[in-house]
Amino acid sequence: MSSFSFPFLRNLALPLRSLSPRLSLPLPRLISLYLPSSRLRFHGVSTRLMASLERKHRIAEIASSIRVIPDFPKPGVMFQDITTLLLDPKAFGDAVELFVERYRDQRISVVAGVEARGFIFGPPIALAIGAKFVPLRKPKKLPGEVISEEYLLEYGADKIEMHVGAVQPTDRAIVIDDLIATGGTLRAAVKLLERVGAEVVECACVIELPELKGREKLGDIPLFVLVNGA
Amino acid sequence: MSAWKDKENDPRLEGIASAIRVVPNFPKPGIMFKDITTLLLDPNAFKNTIDLFVERYSGKGIDAVAGNAKVIGFTASQSQWPFRTFNGVEARGFIFGPPIALAIGAKFIPLRKPRKLPGEVISEKYILEYGSDCLEMHIGAVQPGEHALVVDDLVATGGTLCAAINLLERAGAQVVECACVIELPELKGRQKLNGKPLYVLIESH
């Protein structure tokens, strides 16, 4: 991108801020109001830039739709509540779309969702990319034969389960949850899938709490998130 | 209203029905549990399930889809008449509601067991065969006058759906219809819905 177009875009920032009703437009559209498309092409503002700006805008909208509830479930915890994201059909749709865009060409055959909020994001992604949806659940919820993986909590331990036969050794899987904190649940989920021989391509969450270093718990398995809940 | 009565005219329904497996003696002996997880392993059948609901509700001015997180009541074998009701497993209503909501441009509202939703909630108690339970919804999730659907995977006695309808109506919303993948007609849940219509894809006898 030419250095000429950079200062031009910077100068756009002032008038943009002063026109708040229009800020609900997607950024590329907003920019195109002020820059006739012929000038855009002339100054080499690429569609990749537009896509990148659009993506950042979508992520900002998603982040701002998540509300924080202090002292839930216990004093001192700042709970990241995604239910307000679900009340905004555009933001919810954008969140799903960001995952779908990432995984649609990755030959993913399984989307595994961790109970219960992973069940909200996993199925729409699975449907869009044509993958199976596999629910991973707390003990005794899944009927029929299951395999279990235990994981440690701050005090004590917990378990998640997966149906025997749901996932095959030829499957390429992603694991979805709304949030990664310490990474214990996600690591247990990865282990369940790997025990049946599947390849876990990536873990994906809407929110990461980076100070809790969950990413490190996943070892070699990459983690993709939309927003940081700092 | 049941799509099942018309199943000869829509080949998708047989595919959906055959993708649902029955697990005997779960969660208790004598119960024939309708397990939808096998439907979720069949991307085509799962997509057809969602499409059937989306075809019905698209463009009908639905503002909100409420997904139940609790199922009570399961079918029992013939030898266990009258049927027992049990605390069901939570969260299967979350699987069908969001894809429908996204496709029709509505918001998704999770309805949950007590103490799972953070922040301010309203609660609706409902009676079980032994004891009672509670369903909760966030205050402010739905606005007065909004049109809502309640979605769940299965309707048995109708207790959970009834609690969901009450929550939404207490918040001033208008419940347009309840929608479930499976109905157990002998349990007469349809009659428990305060006169609200019920649409199902499959009847299981």
Side-chain angles (χ1 to χ4, degrees):
Chain A
M1 198 180 64
S2 75
S3 57
F4 182 87
S5 36
F6 246 154
F8 201 163
L9 286 172
R10 264 208 301 277
N11 290 340
L12 279 177
L14 282 170
L16 282 178
R17 272 203 292 276
S18 68
L19 286 163
S20 50
R22 297 204 186 194
L23 279 176
S24 58
L25 288 173
L27 265 173
R29 171 88 184 97
L30 204 47
I31 290 170
S32 70
L33 287 178
Y34 296 94
L35 271 178
S37 54
S38 56
R39 294 195 73 182
L40 276 170
R41 282 195 293 276
F42 179 75
H43 291 303
V45 178
S46 65
T47 48
R48 243 191 13 221
L49 169 68
M50 300 295 246
S52 168
L53 288 170
E54 171 73 28
R55 191 172 180 282
K56 288 197 165 86
H57 180 65
R58 286 198 283 174
I59 289 178
E61 292 282 296
I62 290 162
S64 66
S65 72
I66 296 166
R67 72 172 174 171
V68 179
I69 305 278
D71 302 320
F72 182 90
K74 311 186 288 217
V77 178
M78 302 294 282
F79 188 87
Q80 305 277 331
D81 180 18
I82 50 93
T83 64
T84 41
L85 167 65
L86 310 178
L87 296 180
D88 179 344
K90 183 176 184 308
F92 182 22
D94 282 344
V96 170
E97 189 56 29
L98 283 162
F99 292 119
V100 169
E101 281 168 6
R102 186 173 179 84
Y103 298 117
R104 73 159 37 104
D105 296 324
Q106 300 287 317
R107 297 172 293 112
I108 305 295
S109 52
V110 164
V111 174
V114 180
E115 163 167 23
R117 290 186 291 267
F119 290 6
I120 295 175
F121 295 93
I125 297 167
L127 284 162
I129 68 177
K132 305 186 274 196
F133 177 69
V134 174
L136 304 179
R137 303 210 67 171
K138 295 273 161 71
K140 298 199 268 295
K141 303 273 188 99
L142 289 171
E145 256 201 298
V146 296
I147 56 169
S148 297
E149 183 73 25
E150 199 171 90
Y151 59 101
L152 293 173
L153 301 169
E154 197 179 6
Y155 302 107
D158 208 338
K159 260 199 224 180
I160 52 167
E161 297 185 335
M162 180 172 80
H163 266 139
V164 169
V167 175
Q168 310 303 322
T170 47
D171 278 318
R172 282 169 54 83
I174 56 173
V175 185
I176 303 281
D177 205 352
D178 67 321
L179 181 145
I180 176 171
T182 61
T185 324
L186 276 178
R187 186 166 76 167
V190 167
K191 285 204 182 143
L192 275 175
L193 292 159
E194 290 185 332
R195 274 166 59 189
V196 298
E199 179 192 352
V200 180
V201 172
E202 195 159 80
C203 290
C205 300
V206 179
I207 306 163
E208 178 183 14
L209 304 180
E211 307 84 50
L212 298 180
K213 302 196 201 304
R215 200 177 272 267
E216 287 168 26
K217 266 239 182 68
L218 301 179
D220 290 335
I221 307 293
L223 171 70
F224 172 71
V225 303
L226 301 184
V227 307
N228 278 343
Chain B
M1 157 99 222
S2 148
W4 192 243
K5 293 189 165 32
D6 213 20
K7 59 184 184 290
E8 296 80 41
N9 291 340
D10 195 330
R12 294 177 290 182
L13 288 168
E14 287 283 2
I16 292 166
S18 63
I20 296 167
R21 75 171 172 171
V22 177
V23 179
N25 302 314
F26 182 88
K28 298 205 164 142
I31 306 294
M32 303 295 280
F33 187 87
K34 303 286 185 281
D35 180 18
I36 51 95
T37 64
T38 41
L39 171 63
L40 310 177
L41 295 180
D42 181 342
N44 229 29
F46 185 21
K47 181 177 184 307
N48 286 340
T49 306
I50 301 301
D51 283 348
L52 279 158
F53 290 120
V54 171
E55 282 161 23
R56 183 173 179 84
Y57 298 116
S58 216
K60 298 288 199 316
I62 306 291
D63 303 295
V65 174
N68 265 2
K70 190 118 168 66
V71 172
I72 52 169
F74 301 99
T75 190
S77 65
Q78 296 290 51
S79 60
Q80 276 223 299
W81 186 272
F83 297 115
R84 305 276 311 278
T85 60
F86 295 93
N87 282 354
V89 292
E90 197 191 13
R92 290 198 309 271
F94 288 2
I95 292 176
F96 295 95
I100 297 168
L102 284 165
I104 68 176
K107 47 191 180 182
F108 176 69
I109 301 173
L111 306 179
R112 299 205 70 171
K113 275 185 345 188
R115 291 178 297 283
K116 300 278 189 151
L117 290 172
E120 271 196 295
V121 296
I122 55 171
S123 292
E124 180 76 16
K125 200 161 149 174
Y126 56 100
I127 308 297
L128 302 172
E129 191 179 8
Y130 303 107
S132 64
D133 209 330
C134 223
L135 200 61
E136 294 188 338
M137 180 173 80
H138 268 139
I139 286 179
V142 76
Q143 305 303 320
E146 282 188 326
H147 289 196
L149 278 184
V150 183
V151 171
D152 209 346
D153 65 328
L154 183 146
V155 53
T157 61
T160 326
L161 283 181
C162 183
I165 292 166
N166 289 343
L167 276 173
L168 289 158
E169 295 200 321
R170 278 167 57 193
Q174 189 194 330
V175 176
V176 169
E177 195 160 83
C178 296
C180 299
V181 180
I182 307 165
E183 178 185 12
L184 308 179
E186 286 90 32
L187 297 182
K188 303 196 201 305
R190 200 174 271 273
Q191 293 158 16
K192 265 267 195 54
L193 305 180
N194 300 353
K196 298 295 173 192
L198 168 68
Y199 174 72
V200 303
L201 302 186
I202 291 166
E203 290 174 14
S204 178
H205 299 269

